[in-house]
Amino acid sequence: MINIDNALNMIYKETKKLGIENKDLLCSINRVLAEDIYSKDNLPPFDKSSKDGYAIKSNDTYSCSKENICELKIKGVIKAGDFIKDTLKNGEAYKIMTGAPIPKGADAVIKIEDVQIKEDKLLVFEQIDENNNIIKFGEEIKIGDLAIKKDSVIRPVEIGALASLGYSNVGVYKAPTVALIITGDELVDITSTIEMGQIRNSNEYSLKALVKSLNAEVLSLGIVSDDKETLKEKIKYGLEKADIVISSGGASVGDYDFVKDILKEIGADIKFSSVAIKPGKPVTFATFKEKLFFALPGNPSSLITTFEKLVKPTIEKIMGKEISNSEEFPVVLKDDFQEEVGREKYVYVEIKKTNGIYYAYKVGSQCSNHLMTMSRANGIIIIPKEFGNVKAGEVFNGKFIFRK
Amino acid sequence: MINIDNALNMIYKETKKLGIENKDLLCSINRVLAEDIYSKDNLPPFDKSSKDGYAIKSNDTYSCSKENICELKIKGVIKAGDFIKDTLKNGEAYKIMTGAPIPKGADAVIKIEDVQIKEDKLLVFEQIDENNNIIKFGEEIKIGDLAIKKDSVIRPVEIGALASLGYSNVGVYKAPTVALIITGDELVDITSTIEMGQIRNSNEYSLKALVKSLNAEVLSLGIVSDDKETLKEKIKYGLEKADIVISSGGASVGDYDFVKDILKEIGADIKFSSVAIKPGKPVTFATFKEKLFFALPGNPSSLITTFEKLVKPTIEKIMGKEISNSEEFPVVLKDDFQEEVGREKYVYVEIKKTNGIYYAYKVGSQCSNHLMTMSRANGIIIIPKEFGNVKAGEVFNGKFIFRK
């Protein structure tokens, strides 16, 4: 039985990126850029007005004031998208819209709110500085400048930035394909009525949702009965077709838990088969050539916990993401919790903030098959392995979980 | 010009849910349950073993100890999924796997690690309590119990819980369809080479990414030129087909900013047309029958900021979600920022934590068309409207943004 940090280090040592794929811009959301993005343009590609107003020569206004009102001749209008060839001369002004190019000869824009109009004349009441309300050519970025660094996560703002630079598709790190093998003769499809001894196959659904929420690909191999040869064939098939194989169930020490035997027989390299966490102790991690294999426990909430703690960071690392460990903070227990010394324990609770302090409330049995408890939880408290029973009023680290 | 809280209150007053739609279980992820989910089963549907071990009668072990080793006759094996009709009698044991049903007559399971086997005899070295290692019938949930409350967000754990209860589809609140109208004669497609006066249509891409990331539907009406009649037709079409219409550009006071005129002409009810935030002041919000209209500014980063502050919470509210305001916390400025008194200012920065304290670093110009600045930012600091220039060392509230 190894501790969680050692387990993660052993997994990370075997984890690497899978190469680069080209994605349509909008489909690249939440993926990680696998290339530095350089600008092929100057942005803005021309001096432009940041306001609705009048393009002028600033030196026409040096003596303007409320007492000495200046008059300029309005020559026309420049809309966004227009480009006029005329050169502005002293004594002249062009009405100009936000985003429109500054005409040649002009060096400032005076806001529409600050002027008055008399027939075709513009009345100016103040001195305007050079470059006033002008966004300069290339001020945002110049040709050849690094725009977005490799390894950046593509958020909506990067989608906008890439679009403005003319990138309609981009190179991102490949997402792994994750094969799912659900073991257990007691499992029936979720639409079935359950007969004596049976339970519904909820783990396949939890796993599909978890893998898809990371933008990885799912290859579900369905329910496999507790028959060694069938299971072996499925595991070999999964390792051939996918980058990661996850089995659920069959990982503890029962007579019909064949996964470890099969991994040995096919020559997989078993790195560990027990992790000191609760829920979730019986987890096997193995490698087979370049492929990764996780045998997770069949209890629904052990499955989700071990996925979150071990598989999720692995998938994120493969896809080039920083590991998204949401931040831990001190939480005051509002209830007692009976636990055992020996493993790091994740207790599913409701965390509420009152007067700036976080409190943890019991939401149900921590028995490892209780999905209902997890479903009522918005966070966990982490009870270190040295601690057993803990009491209301004691303080442990906690964090929010399953948040979007 | 109204402040942001008033603006949000006015919007929320016009916002309501759009009804319920039925979704395949896996497609319901991140949506909000529109119905209370009751259990149609008892879970577990039978007393089951929580360990690999031996099912026994506890009263057979009352005198067992290391000095007085008891022997029980092993009658067979019960795997998960098996159901045996035999009733266990005193002096007998069944080998039993995790998850398998407890046979009639048995009332405890002794772990495999705690026993020894001699031929067909089980050797027991200790007294075992009644119900030891048994998960009782209905312990997780009973028929008719409320399993998951209406208005819960469906996370992977709810997907698992719903599957275990036999729900292959569920009722969730409808997602709004959001029509996008991008105005501006200066805009060209993102694959185009930009000519003098033109810029690429990045706003449509930012908006699509933003709307999709909320799981709402996008109906893009494309770029509309600065022609009043064309724009009017598009706006009418959008209001007919979608629940929310967003226009970008055309919302400030320029001669060719027709949106407000059109809204008045078609009889829309304009609630406000200017909000005291920066970036983003010129925002128009109007209602037309049951439909909502947002005219957002055309500057790319004003657009994203106003979407995040005003449209995102509206869409979340329609879909039944709690508003996901990520939490604000105090941040120490590492740089000076030049700002003006009068509006609440969102300054895009990089927030880093050092020795437990959050610091904000400048990442570029805060000019409202600088997507590159936003792209380098992981957070904002919020400078209240009473403040103008702020200096390194001063402390303001900040928060992380654009995080998954």
Side-chain angles (χ1 to χ4, degrees):
Chain A
M1 193 158 76
I2 62 172
N3 73 34
I4 180 79
D5 291 330
N6 286 345
L8 281 169
N9 284 335
M10 289 173 87
I11 298 168
Y12 291 163
K13 242 171 67 182
E14 307 297 331
T15 299
K16 57 177 194 188
K17 298 196 184 88
L18 297 171
I20 296 170
E21 62 181 330
N22 224 43
K23 279 267 171 194
D24 254 21
L25 183 55
L26 278 169
C27 299
S28 73
I29 187 87
N30 290 324
R31 301 291 290 269
V32 179
L33 258 185
E35 53 179 343
D36 283 325
I37 298 290
Y38 292 94
S39 183
K40 297 175 284 191
D41 301 295
N42 298 297
L43 291 185
F46 44 84
D47 289 359
K48 70 178 180 184
S49 180
S50 67
K51 293 274 159 58
D52 291 325
Y54 289 83
I56 56 167
K57 281 181 168 303
S58 59
N59 63 14
D60 273 341
T61 68
Y62 285 169
S63 61
C64 309
S65 69
K66 278 178 189 152
E67 292 70 42
N68 182 30
I69 300 168
C70 306
E71 284 191 7
L72 299 170
K73 184 169 185 295
I74 302 170
K75 291 201 68 187
V77 181
I78 311 170
K79 293 182 288 175
D82 284 353
F83 173 61
I84 61 152
K85 288 196 173 142
D86 190 22
T87 299
L88 196 81
K89 291 182 220 44
N90 278 103
E92 297 178 341
Y94 265 98
K95 186 162 189 179
I96 191 164
M97 300 297 132
T98 304
I102 305 294
K104 249 181 284 174
D107 66 0
V109 170
I110 179 166
K111 272 194 295 186
I112 206 161
E113 295 90 337
D114 296 343
V115 295
Q116 285 183 19
I117 309 299
K118 201 175 79 185
E119 285 147 19
D120 68 340
K121 292 278 190 297
L122 178 74
L123 308 186
V124 179
F125 306 88
E126 61 191 314
Q127 187 191 320
I128 303 296
D129 292 335
E130 203 180 329
N131 294 326
N132 192 51
N133 294 323
I134 292 181
I135 303 168
K136 302 293 281 183
F137 165 88
E139 186 181 308
E140 184 165 10
I141 199 159
K142 290 201 174 59
I143 289 175
D145 284 354
L146 179 61
I148 308 177
K149 270 191 288 195
K150 186 176 157 173
D151 296 330
S152 300
V153 175
I154 301 172
R155 307 167 295 179
V157 60
E158 278 74 25
I159 297 283
L162 286 161
S164 74
L165 294 167
Y167 284 82
S168 57
N169 54 64
V170 285
V172 298
Y173 295 116
K174 272 191 187 154
T177 297
V178 182
L180 307 180
I181 296 172
I182 312 296
T183 75
D185 281 341
E186 75 276 30
L187 299 176
V188 296
D189 188 67
I190 65 167
T191 53
S192 307
T193 308
I194 40 184
E195 307 284 332
M196 195 60 202
Q198 300 181 327
I199 59 169
R200 293 197 188 88
N201 169 24
S202 69
N203 284 345
E204 184 179 354
Y205 287 83
S206 305
L207 284 173
K208 277 183 176 171
L210 289 163
V211 172
K212 284 185 174 174
S213 70
L214 298 171
N215 293 308
E217 300 294 326
V218 174
L219 172 66
S220 185
L221 305 182
I223 303 171
V224 180
S225 72
D226 290 327
D227 168 73
K228 194 169 167 185
E229 280 312 306
T230 314
L231 185 56
K232 190 174 186 173
E233 286 315 304
K234 286 281 183 183
I235 287 178
K236 283 162 74 176
Y237 181 82
L239 286 168
E240 189 192 319
K241 297 291 180 193
D243 304 296
I244 297 174
V245 178
I246 299 175
S247 68
S248 96
S252 58
V253 295
D255 286 4
Y256 299 87
D257 293 342
F258 300 121
V259 174
K260 241 166 87 176
D261 294 345
I262 293 169
L263 289 170
K264 279 180 197 152
E265 284 172 26
I266 64 172
D269 186 2
I270 297 178
K271 302 290 182 182
F272 58 79
S273 55
S274 180
V275 181
I277 57 174
K278 176 172 181 286
K281 182 172 127 191
V283 177
T284 294
F285 171 65
T287 57
F288 181 76
K289 295 171 187 161
E290 309 264 88
K291 309 298 177 77
L292 308 181
F293 190 99
F294 292 90
L296 304 184
N299 276 330
S301 55
S302 301
L303 177 90
I304 292 176
T305 304
T306 50
F307 183 95
E308 288 279 324
K309 294 299 284 186
L310 298 168
V311 185
K312 181 182 171 187
T314 305
I315 292 176
E316 287 178 329
K317 217 165 148 45
I318 289 172
M319 294 177 75
K321 288 201 179 179
E322 274 181 59
I323 307 307
S324 64
N325 256 330
S326 66
E327 206 155 336
E328 294 177 13
F329 47 83
V331 182
V332 182
L333 306 189
K334 272 289 188 182
D335 292 293
D336 301 347
F337 295 91
Q338 271 70 52
E339 294 293 342
E340 282 170 24
V341 172
R343 291 189 265 165
E344 181 167 294
K345 291 156 288 283
Y346 311 117
V347 181
Y348 289 84
V349 294
E350 183 173 11
I351 297 177
K352 283 195 243 178
K353 196 176 188 178
T354 312
N355 297 326
I357 296 167
Y358 291 102
Y359 294 96
Y361 298 80
K362 203 166 203 157
V363 287
S365 163
Q366 296 295 328
C367 187
S368 58
N369 65 336
H370 281 204
L371 276 183
M372 299 306 149
T373 299
M374 288 181 108
S375 171
R376 285 188 290 264
N378 69 348
I380 54 172
I381 49 172
I382 300 151
I383 302 180
K385 56 175 193 260
E386 302 76 27
F387 287 77
N389 292 340
V390 294
K391 297 227 168 295
E394 294 183 36
V395 181
F396 290 92
N397 268 2
K399 60 181 178 182
F400 290 109
I401 48 158
F402 304 136
R403 276 203 173 170
K404 255 281 276 188
Chain B
M1 194 157 76
I2 62 172
N3 73 35
I4 180 78
D5 291 331
N6 287 346
L8 281 170
N9 284 335
M10 290 173 85
I11 298 168
Y12 291 163
K13 242 171 67 182
E14 307 298 330
T15 299
K16 57 176 192 186
K17 298 196 184 89
L18 298 171
I20 296 171
E21 61 181 330
N22 223 43
K23 278 270 171 191
D24 255 21
L25 183 56
L26 279 167
C27 299
S28 73
I29 187 90
N30 291 323
R31 301 291 290 270
V32 179
L33 258 184
E35 52 180 342
D36 283 325
I37 299 290
Y38 293 93
S39 182
K40 296 175 284 191
D41 302 294
N42 298 296
L43 291 183
F46 44 84
D47 288 0
K48 70 178 179 183
S49 179
S50 67
K51 293 276 158 56
D52 293 324
Y54 290 84
I56 56 169
K57 280 181 169 302
S58 59
N59 63 14
D60 274 341
T61 68
Y62 284 170
S63 62
C64 309
S65 70
K66 276 177 191 155
E67 292 71 42
N68 182 28
I69 301 168
C70 307
E71 284 191 6
L72 300 171
K73 183 166 186 296
I74 302 171
K75 291 201 69 189
V77 181
I78 310 169
K79 294 183 286 174
D82 285 352
F83 173 61
I84 60 152
K85 290 198 173 143
D86 191 21
T87 299
L88 197 81
K89 293 184 215 50
N90 277 104
E92 297 178 343
Y94 265 98
K95 186 163 189 180
I96 191 165
M97 299 298 133
T98 304
I102 305 295
K104 248 181 285 174
D107 66 359
V109 169
I110 179 164
K111 271 195 295 187
I112 206 161
E113 294 90 336
D114 295 343
V115 295
Q116 284 182 20
I117 310 298
K118 202 173 82 184
E119 287 148 17
D120 68 340
K121 293 279 190 298
L122 177 74
L123 307 187
V124 179
F125 306 88
E126 61 190 316
Q127 187 191 319
I128 302 299
D129 291 336
E130 203 179 329
N131 294 328
N132 192 51
N133 295 322
I134 293 181
I135 304 168
K136 302 294 279 184
F137 165 86
E139 185 179 309
E140 185 164 9
I141 199 158
K142 288 199 175 60
I143 290 176
D145 284 355
L146 179 61
I148 308 176
K149 270 191 287 195
K150 187 175 156 174
D151 296 331
S152 299
V153 176
I154 301 173
R155 307 167 296 180
V157 60
E158 277 74 25
I159 297 282
L162 287 160
S164 74
L165 295 167
Y167 284 81
S168 57
N169 54 65
V170 285
V172 298
Y173 295 116
K174 272 191 187 154
T177 298
V178 182
L180 307 179
I181 296 172
I182 311 296
T183 75
D185 282 342
E186 74 277 30
L187 299 176
V188 296
D189 187 68
I190 64 167
T191 53
S192 307
T193 308
I194 40 185
E195 308 284 333
M196 195 61 203
Q198 300 181 325
I199 58 168
R200 293 197 188 89
N201 168 24
S202 69
N203 285 346
E204 185 179 353
Y205 287 83
S206 306
L207 284 173
K208 278 184 177 170
L210 288 163
V211 173
K212 284 185 175 175
S213 69
L214 298 171
N215 292 308
E217 300 294 327
V218 174
L219 171 67
S220 185
L221 304 181
I223 304 171
V224 180
S225 73
D226 291 327
D227 168 73
K228 195 170 165 184
E229 281 311 307
T230 314
L231 184 56
K232 189 176 187 171
E233 286 314 305
K234 287 282 182 183
I235 287 177
K236 283 162 72 177
Y237 182 81
L239 286 168
E240 189 192 320
K241 297 292 180 193
D243 306 295
I244 297 174
V245 178
I246 299 175
S247 68
S248 96
S252 60
V253 295
D255 286 4
Y256 299 89
D257 295 341
F258 300 120
V259 175
K260 241 166 83 177
D261 295 345
I262 292 170
L263 289 171
K264 280 180 198 154
E265 284 172 26
I266 64 172
D269 185 1
I270 296 178
K271 302 290 183 182
F272 58 80
S273 55
S274 179
V275 182
I277 58 175
K278 177 175 181 285
K281 181 172 127 190
V283 177
T284 293
F285 170 67
T287 56
F288 181 76
K289 296 170 187 163
E290 309 264 85
K291 309 298 178 77
L292 308 181
F293 189 99
F294 292 90
L296 304 184
N299 277 330
S301 54
S302 302
L303 177 89
I304 292 176
T305 303
T306 50
F307 183 95
E308 289 278 325
K309 295 298 284 186
L310 298 168
V311 186
K312 181 182 172 187
T314 306
I315 292 176
E316 287 178 329
K317 217 165 146 50
I318 289 172
M319 296 178 74
K321 288 200 179 179
E322 274 181 61
I323 308 306
S324 65
N325 256 331
S326 64
E327 206 155 338
E328 294 178 12
F329 46 83
V331 182
V332 182
L333 305 189
K334 273 289 188 183
D335 293 293
D336 301 347
F337 294 91
Q338 271 70 54
E339 294 293 342
E340 281 171 23
V341 172
R343 291 189 266 165
E344 181 166 293
K345 293 157 286 285
Y346 312 117
V347 181
Y348 289 84
V349 294
E350 184 174 9
I351 297 178
K352 284 195 243 179
K353 195 176 189 178
T354 312
N355 297 327
I357 296 167
Y358 291 102
Y359 295 96
Y361 297 80
K362 201 167 204 157
V363 287
S365 163
Q366 297 295 328
C367 188
S368 59
N369 64 334
H370 281 202
L371 275 183
M372 300 305 150
T373 299
M374 287 182 108
S375 170
R376 284 187 291 264
N378 69 348
I380 55 171
I381 49 172
I382 300 151
I383 301 180
K385 56 175 193 262
E386 302 77 26
F387 287 77
N389 292 341
V390 294
K391 297 229 168 292
E394 294 183 37
V395 181
F396 290 93
N397 269 2
K399 61 181 179 181
F400 290 110
I401 48 160
F402 305 138
R403 278 202 172 170
K404 256 283 276 187

